[in-house]
Every structure is written in structure tokens, then in C-alpha cells.
Amino acid sequence: MIRFGVLGSLEVRTDTGARTLKGPKARQVLGLLLMRANEVVDVHEIAEELWHDNPGRNGVGAIRTHVYNLRCALAEAAGTDGVTGLLVTEPTGYQIRLDPDRLDALRFTRMVRRGRDLLAGGCVAEAARCLREALSLWQGRALANVTCGPLLSRHVTYLEELRVRAIELRVEADMLLGNHRELVAELRALIAAHPLNEWYHTQLIDVLYRSGRRGEALLAFHNLRTVLDRELGLEPSADARRLQYEILASDPEPVPRPRAMPRRIVANSAASGPRQAG
């Protein structure tokens, strides 16, 4: 069975292994069709992606050639039977018909939605497992080996934002489970990669305090204040300042207490990307 990966390099996966399609335009067309799986992608949209609305005189013919080469590459990867009915020509464009389990991005989106719903329903341990499994699908930057035009860039941005949200939800779940010490190293790594993400800083302050490391928690708040002032000329948020005050006013050894379920988890609507199928 042929499967596809976009959460990292664009790959065509079969029982014999994974391969990368030759040709940047072929990868670009396949990437767009996969991001719009089970939808018709209009020829004009493909042209916008490939040439930014400047396809030249033979744009439609070039697209047909790219799609033909793509069909040949898929047939070579999986055999003719493996791609029958997969890449379909429609009156206005092309469509990839795909079961959601055969594309990692669709599986990821579905699992994040399920993890969020489990967390909102109080099934915290199951939510953490589901979100951890969803995040394990990522192998690097989305479509890392594809030169993205305007349409694909929006899809990549959506997936990366959803990845950040999945990390937030999983961290929330682990904090509710009391895994404060286990989160310290991960949050430090996340801050190193995203130094202006105040949410990561605030969670690090919180888990350090809940791990009995009050001095380090206050130092983490100081680091947050420094980076926001230096880079943006801003003060920490009211939530971060309130947490600092709580730490300063508390006993040196905090009594562990359950975290309240974040209101935004309950209220957040189902994840949906830019015309994302599935």
C-alpha cells in the first residue's frame, strides 16, 4: 500500500521503503495535491503555486506534463495497481483520493483533535498518550525538501502552528498528571528554539516552582523579562507576573496542587487548516 509523508521531507512510502520524487516541480505539485487531499485542486491554483500567477504561454500544458510525470513516478514506486484511482483528472483540475490513514498530516490533525477532546473531557493520561503519538509523526520541518510557493507556504504554516498547539496541549496534560520534573528539560529546549514564546517560559517557571526549585523559577522569570525587554520592549504578561508574585509570597516548599483545566482547551474549536481535507 502506498502512503505519503509530509511532516518532514515529502516521501512516497511503500512496503519496500520510502523514496523521494525526482524533480522540484513534481514534488511541489504532489505536495499541493496532498495538502488538499480528497479535494479538486484547480489548474489555476496549481499555476499560482508553481509560477505565482505567471505561468507563461504553455502553463496548462506544463501542468499536464508535471502530472503525467508524477503518475509515472508513483506507478514506479508502488506499481500500477497501487496507484489505480489515486491521482484523478477532474474537469477543472486534479485530485488525490486518499484514505486519511495514508497521509501523516491527516493522521496528525485527527489525533490532535482527539487529544484535545480527551483533555477537555478529563481523560488526561489518555490525552497525553494520544498527543505524544501525534507529535511522534514529525520527522522535521513540514515539506522540508519542497520549494514552497504561496499556497503550500500557507499549508506549512498551518501545520507548524498546529504542531505548537499539540505541544502545548501535551505539556498541559503532563502538568495535570504531576510530571513537573520531567518537563523541565523539554521546556528549556523549547525555549531555546522559540525564545519569544512566552507560554513556554511561563510553564517553565511553573514547573520549576512545583518541583521545589523556587530560586530557579524566579531566575526563569527574570530571563523572560530580559528577553522580552531586549527583543520587543515588552513586560511579561499578567499571568507571568501573577505567577512570580505567587512564588515570592509562598512557602519555600510548595504544596503540590492540581492545575485547573485551562479554559481555552475546553472552548477551542476543532482544528482545521486552510481548506484542509479530512
Side-chain angles (χ1 to χ4, degrees):
M1 177 185 292
I2 191 168
R3 299 177 301 277
F4 298 93
V6 299
L7 302 180
S9 294
L10 175 60
E11 293 180 337
V12 179
R13 299 167 180 169
T14 66
D15 293 339
T16 60
R19 66 174 66 188
T20 300
L21 296 184
K22 296 179 181 178
K25 294 299 185 187
R27 291 196 296 272
Q28 203 171 353
V29 172
L30 178 58
L32 183 59
L33 292 173
L34 288 172
M35 290 296 186
R36 296 273 300 279
N38 303 313
E39 295 182 28
V40 176
V41 182
D42 191 275
V43 169
H44 298 295
E45 293 178 293
I46 298 175
E48 180 184 355
E49 169 63 27
L50 294 179
W51 300 293
H52 299 260
D53 274 336
N54 186 27
R57 293 182 177 181
N58 195 31
V60 173
I63 289 172
R64 287 174 180 160
T65 299
H66 291 313
V67 171
Y68 171 78
N69 291 335
L70 180 56
R71 279 199 176 99
C72 292
L74 293 175
E76 180 183 354
T80 304
D81 293 339
V83 296
T84 301
L86 177 67
L87 178 50
V88 180
T89 301
E90 302 285 358
T92 60
Y94 302 93
Q95 178 181 185
I96 279 190
R97 296 176 180 172
L98 198 64
D99 185 284
D101 286 335
R102 295 168 66 185
L103 176 61
D104 57 2
L106 293 180
R107 290 175 57 206
F108 173 71
T109 302
R110 185 179 65 237
M111 292 170 70
V112 172
R113 185 182 299 120
R114 173 168 169 74
R116 183 211 61 208
D117 291 344
L118 287 167
L119 188 55
C123 302
V124 181
E126 190 176 351
R129 286 193 295 272
C130 182
L131 292 163
R132 192 169 285 110
E133 183 180 350
L135 289 164
S136 72
L137 296 173
W138 283 78
Q139 305 297 316
R141 182 177 60 84
L143 294 177
N145 60 343
V146 177
T147 301
C148 295
L151 301 186
L152 272 180
S153 294
R154 290 197 287 270
H155 284 285
V156 168
T157 298
Y158 163 73
L159 284 173
E160 295 289 352
E161 287 292 339
L162 187 59
R163 183 186 192 183
V164 170
R165 183 66 183 129
I167 292 170
E168 290 178 356
L169 289 168
R170 207 226 71 236
V171 169
E172 292 280 7
D174 278 340
M175 292 184 77
L176 287 166
L177 291 169
N179 298 329
H180 305 127
R181 289 180 174 83
E182 292 80 357
L183 286 168
V184 171
E186 179 185 4
L187 284 166
R188 289 195 191 279
L190 287 169
I191 289 168
H194 308 278
L196 298 180
N197 187 314
E198 191 170 357
W199 191 89
Y200 291 153
H201 284 272
T202 303
Q203 305 319 302
L204 176 62
I205 296 166
D206 201 358
V207 298
L208 284 169
Y209 172 55
R210 292 169 187 277
S211 300
R213 298 159 69 172
R214 190 169 65 150
E216 291 179 68
L218 291 172
L219 180 59
F221 177 85
H222 174 75
N223 291 339
L224 169 61
R225 171 171 278 166
T226 299
V227 72
L228 288 179
D229 179 63
R230 182 180 67 238
E231 299 296 333
L232 303 173
L234 296 174
E235 279 291 307
S237 67
D239 284 345
R241 295 196 305 272
R242 198 158 33 242
L243 182 56
Q244 180 207 26
Y245 177 80
E246 180 182 337
I247 295 170
L248 288 170
S250 68
D251 293 330
E253 296 296 331
V255 177
R257 55 182 175 79
R259 289 171 55 88
M261 183 67 71
R263 183 180 303 172
R264 59 193 172 92
I265 293 176
V266 177
N268 193 27
S269 60
S272 60
R275 301 186 65 181
Q276 181 78 19

